[in-house]
Each structure stands twice: as C-alpha cells, then as structure tokens.
C-alpha cells in the first residue's frame, strides 16, 4: 500500500509567496509523495500560526527575537523599495533622499510638488500592521513603525494594484513585486539593484526566514535544504527578484 503523502504547510509573508510557490512546484516534482501548502497573511500571521502548531513553517521578512522556541532558517535576501504610481506629475522624480522618504511616510510631505513634481496630493498606502514588509521597511528607513495613518492593505499584490491605479499613491514593496507599470524610486540616488544590495551600498534589504517550532521533521528540513541549495538559489532566486544567501558580501548582525 502506498504511504500517505507527507504534508508541509507554510503561512506568512506575502513577499515570500512567489519564491515558495516555485520551490513547492520544483520540490514536489522531485518528491511526489510530499505536498507543500502555502498561504500568505503576513509575517505576524505566519509566526502566530507556527507558534500554535498550525503550520510547519511561519514565513517572515523580519527576524523574530521574542520566541526562543522558534528555530530560524534563513532562505534568501530581499530588497525593498519605495514605489509610486507612475504619472506625468512625478515623471521627473526617480530618486528620494533619506529625509524625503522619512517625511513622506510620516506625513510631513503631502504633495508631489514639494519633491519637484507637479501639484498632486501624496496618498500613502501602507501594508497592515503585522506585515513583515511594513516592519522591515519602517525599521530601515524610519527607525520604526512611524507611518502616517491611512489606508492599509493586507497583501503586496493589493499594494501593487493600488499603485497602478491611484494617482498620487506611494508605498513600499519587496523587489520580488517590482513592476515597470509603477515608479520604483532610488534611495539617495542609489538604485535597488542586486549589485548594490550585496555590498550594502543600497541598504534597504532584509533576510527572508522560515521559522519552525523547535526542530522540524526530516521532510521539512529537506525542503529547507532544497530552497537553500546552490542550484535553486542560483537558478530561481534572481528570476523572482530575490538574492542568493551565498552572494551576499554584506552581513547584518542580529537578523
């Protein structure tokens, strides 16, 4: 009798969903007796679910320092960027200074004309609290969750769609969601490229994590090994906007 399939469940970061879906497709093709189920919900949701034992892994864009029972498995690096609706009013704005980013997302700068564009109110669109993308971008650019109050969306996909459609809108996205239909902004003149991230010249980046409660099963560990293997990291991550762990020359302690 054929044994029942082994199931690996992952919930959390929506920024990680494209990577994990591709990993699942490739892994289960080589291991037909394994099922990998993936859902989003945000980094906080993933951490809560793995703590409750509801999933094998919680996917997170931010490091968890609060729960000693969780085991961290780093699987990739992701760049993050300020991203805006693309319109004639901001066509000449391709870079923001550190101070401009802080002032936009804390609500001090309210119009694109203050940045050299035309008269158009700025609409800050945030991820919901608990989002790892929000937490990472806020920590790296604002020094914490200091975002001005406004609309909050529960996925990176919804943020991208809103930026495509709404005049004046600005937000932040993982580079895995980078799209030419929106304006991806440089940081202090530095483009968010792989080359700039790996040496920390472009500083808005984070490690991507899978957290397990204690030591995961042999099958779950094998899946992590597949995702962090040289072949998968080399062949898949660059196509999806992620950076391979072994390519990084910069190291960020405590993450």
């Amino acid at each position: 009798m054929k044994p029942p399939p082994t199931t690996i469940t992952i919930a959390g970061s929506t920024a990680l969903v494209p990577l994990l879906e591709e990993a699942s497709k490739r892994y289960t093709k080589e291991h037909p007796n394994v099922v990998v189920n993936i859902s989003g919900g945000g980094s906080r949701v993933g951490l809560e679910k793995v703590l409750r034992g509801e999933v094998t892994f919680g996917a997170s864009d931010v490091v968890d320092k609060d729960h000693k029972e969780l085991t961290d498995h780093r699987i990739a690096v992701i760049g993050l960027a300020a991203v805006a609706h693309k319109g004639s009013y901001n066509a000449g704005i391709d870079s923001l200074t550190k101070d401009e980013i802080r002032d936009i997302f804390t609500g001090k700068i309210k119009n694109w004309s203050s940045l050299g564009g035309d008269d158009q109110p700025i609409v800050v669109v945030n991820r919901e609290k608990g989002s790892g993308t929000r937490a990472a971008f806020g920590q790296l650019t604002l020094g914490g969750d200091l975002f001005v109050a406004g609309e909050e969306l529960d996925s990176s996909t919804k943020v991208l769609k809103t930026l495509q459609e709404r005049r004046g809108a600005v937000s932040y996205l993982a580079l895995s969601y980078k799209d030419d239909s929106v304006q991806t902004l440089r940081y202090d003149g530095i483009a968010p490229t792989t080359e700039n991230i790996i040496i920390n010249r472009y500083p808005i980046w984070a490690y991507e994590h899978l957290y397990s409660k204690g030591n995961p099963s042999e099958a779950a560990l094998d899946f992590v090994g597949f995702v962090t293997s040289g072949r998968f990291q080399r062949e898949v991550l660059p196509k999806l906007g992620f950076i391979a762990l072994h390519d990084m020359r910069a190291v960020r302690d405590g993450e």
Side-chain angles (χ1 to χ4, degrees):
M1 181 180 294
K2 186 177 180 180
T6 298
T7 300
I8 298 169
T9 51
I10 308 172
S13 164
T14 60
L16 263 174
V17 167
L19 184 158
L20 294 171
E21 286 182 341
E22 183 63 22
S24 170
K25 182 173 72 174
R26 292 177 177 236
Y27 185 80
T28 55
K29 186 176 180 179
E30 295 182 12
H31 301 80
N33 201 44
V34 177
V35 175
V36 182
N37 293 324
I38 299 159
S39 61
S43 295
R44 183 176 63 184
V45 168
L47 292 172
E48 289 173 349
K49 285 191 173 185
V50 76
L51 281 165
R52 293 195 297 264
E54 296 175 8
V55 295
T56 312
F57 292 112
S60 177
D61 308 312
V62 291
V63 65
D64 180 276
K65 299 179 180 179
D66 299 325
H67 303 97
K68 293 183 179 179
E69 64 268 45
L70 294 184
T71 301
D72 183 8
H73 311 271
R74 283 185 188 173
I75 61 170
V77 167
I78 188 65
L80 304 139
V83 185
H85 175 267
K86 185 182 287 188
S88 58
Y89 59 89
N90 65 356
I93 303 171
D94 64 358
S95 179
L96 298 173
T97 68
K98 297 176 185 179
D99 289 344
E100 286 169 341
I101 285 183
R102 182 193 64 235
D103 290 347
I104 288 168
F105 287 102
T106 57
K108 185 176 180 181
I109 293 178
K110 301 178 183 296
N111 197 293
W112 285 98
S113 61
S114 300
L115 302 166
D118 296 336
D119 181 21
Q120 173 66 48
I122 290 173
V123 181
V124 175
V125 178
N126 281 314
R127 287 293 310 279
E128 81 289 1
K129 289 185 178 180
S131 155
T133 300
R134 173 177 175 146
F137 187 84
Q139 186 60 47
L140 293 166
T141 62
L142 310 180
D145 194 336
L146 305 176
F147 294 100
V148 64
E151 183 174 4
E152 297 183 358
L153 301 176
D154 62 6
S155 74
S156 298
T157 302
K158 290 181 181 178
V159 169
L160 178 60
K161 189 172 189 297
T162 299
L163 292 173
Q164 290 167 338
E165 297 175 351
R166 187 171 303 170
R167 285 179 63 83
V170 64
S171 189
Y172 39 87
L173 283 169
L175 294 180
S176 52
Y177 283 88
K178 183 178 177 181
D179 189 304
D180 289 340
S181 65
V182 294
Q183 187 101 322
T184 301
L185 298 159
R186 296 171 181 244
Y187 181 73
D188 258 352
I190 308 299
T193 64
T194 296
E195 293 74 18
N196 287 331
I197 291 170
I198 64 175
I199 60 173
N200 203 36
R201 186 164 179 252
Y202 180 88
I204 312 175
W205 58 269
Y207 294 108
E208 297 284 30
H209 310 261
L210 291 181
Y211 281 97
S212 60
K213 191 173 183 180
N215 295 318
S217 67
E218 185 177 336
L221 273 177
D222 192 63
F223 178 76
V224 172
F226 178 85
V227 175
T228 56
S229 68
R231 186 182 70 170
F232 185 84
Q233 298 254 316
R234 182 177 61 254
E235 292 180 359
V236 177
L237 266 60
K239 297 176 184 177
L240 298 177
F242 294 85
I243 298 171
L245 292 169
H246 62 259
D247 284 342
M248 290 297 293
R249 291 179 232 161
V251 176
R252 192 171 282 150
D253 293 333
E255 293 186 19

